[in-house]
Structure formats: C-alpha cells, structure tokens
Amino acid sequence: MTIITPVVIMAGIVGCIAILLSVIQEIVKKKETSIVDEIDAILPQTQCGQCGYPGCRPYAEAIAAGKAEINQCPPGGDDCIKKLAELLNRDVKELDESHGKAKPKSVAIIDESICIGCTLCIQACPVDAIIGAAKQNHTVVREYCTGCELCINPCPVDCIEMVSIQENLGQWKRKYPVIPVHLRR
C-alpha cells in the first residue's frame, strides 16, 4: 500500500499540471483569436485579394502573426491603416501602392443591354453580389457589392463598370462578415 500512495500523489500532480497547461493554452488562444477578430473588424471586407491574401480574414491573421504589414489594403486606405496602427500600437505607414492605390468606394454596374449571360462575372465575384443565369442578363445587388473589381477582367464584352459612391469606411462595412467563395467549402 505504501507504493500506491506515491503513485496516486504523482498522478494527482501530473493531472493538476495538465489542467493548468490546458487553461493557459485556452487563455493564449482566446487572446490571439480576439486580436485577429479586432483586426478583421477594421478591414473593409471587400475580399478583393489586393493585399496578397485571399480575403480580409487571412490578411488579418497574417497581420496578427507578424507576416504582413498593416499598409497592404488599398480599399481600406489611410483610415484603415491608422486604425490598425492604433490597435496594434505601431507607427502609421503610407499605403504600399504595390498592392494598389486607394480610391473611393465603388460598386459594379452591369449594362444589361450588352450582357451576354456568360456567367464569368458571377464566378469571379467573391461575395455573390451578381445574380443571373446562363444566357440571361446579369445584375449586381448593390448592397452586397464590395467594389473589389474582380468581375471586370473576366467580362468578354466589357459591360461592367465601377461607379463611385460617396461613403466613408465606417458606413460601407458590412454588419456580417462576407466569406469568400473559395473558403465556403
């Protein structure tokens, strides 16, 4: 019986250490997750890929991990950079124009008299803002369009144009995050 007592005590100590490590891991995980969430909340949710990442969430994760700079988001522009710098306690930087230039918020408009219904724009839209069927006219649901411009190049008849709308970053961000099409599987 004397041999069992030390074994039970050691098992108890090991169990307590395992529980403590598990709790510490969860705290660290929640802290990392919350900073990614905060960064993602600042980003414009255009899912355009101009930053070099397939969407705003992967870019937020890269910023949090120190793998990306805070100045790679042309749609967010200076306002986004300033908010990210403040959140992360970093210096404000100029937009890295190798990712594109900042421009006013815009939405796609399809000239339905020219549209041939090829569906290439629908396939390119990362937020499902374009509706229509094969060989039918397509249209853009303005409320869903993020202005990413990814629908323009695939269009074989150049029937899509971007129209600027005057809103600031805080007004045109979505209430609900947009999940890029390629991440929805």
Side-chain angles (χ1 to χ4, degrees):
M1 256 203 185
T2 58
I3 296 176
I4 295 175
T5 305
V7 171
V8 170
I9 291 172
M10 288 302 289
I13 291 172
V14 169
C16 289
I17 291 172
I19 290 170
L20 181 62
L21 288 174
S22 177
V23 169
I24 290 171
Q25 182 181 11
E26 284 300 313
I27 291 170
V28 169
K29 189 176 180 180
K30 285 182 182 179
K31 186 175 182 182
E32 288 174 6
T33 301
S34 67
I35 194 68
V36 171
D37 290 340
E38 289 181 58
I39 293 168
D40 193 41
I42 292 171
L43 296 173
Q45 303 305 315
T46 57
Q47 314 306 336
C48 64
Q50 292 182 65
C51 59
Y53 294 87
C56 294
R57 182 71 181 195
Y59 178 44
E61 291 167 353
I63 292 171
K67 296 178 182 175
E69 293 294 330
I70 62 172
N71 64 340
Q72 295 177 207
C73 179
D78 292 336
D79 188 33
C80 182
I81 294 169
K82 289 175 188 171
K83 288 179 181 179
L84 289 171
E86 183 179 317
L87 172 68
L88 301 170
N89 198 25
R90 295 189 191 170
D91 291 334
V92 175
K93 297 181 172 188
E94 294 290 320
L95 177 65
D96 179 351
E97 291 190 355
S98 69
H99 295 279
K101 295 185 180 197
K103 50 188 160 189
K105 167 76 171 111
S106 60
V107 294
I109 302 291
I110 296 176
D111 184 340
E112 295 178 17
S113 67
I114 301 173
C115 178
I116 59 172
C118 69
T119 74
L120 294 174
C121 59
I122 293 174
Q123 296 169 43
C125 182
V127 296
D128 295 332
I130 302 173
I131 56 174
K135 301 186 190 239
Q136 300 292 318
N137 288 343
H138 300 131
T139 192
V140 176
V141 179
R142 184 180 174 129
E143 293 79 21
Y144 295 159
C145 182
T146 63
C148 70
E149 301 182 6
L150 294 175
C151 58
I152 294 175
N153 287 337
C155 180
V157 293
D158 293 327
C159 68
I160 303 172
E161 76 174 285
M162 301 304 292
V163 177
S164 295
I165 56 174
Q166 296 302 315
E167 295 181 331
N168 66 38
L169 181 63
Q171 290 173 312
W172 62 274
K173 279 182 53 168
R174 302 174 172 283
K175 291 181 183 176
Y176 306 102
V178 175
I179 300 169
V181 172
H182 65 281
L183 297 177
R184 292 184 193 163
R185 297 172 215 264

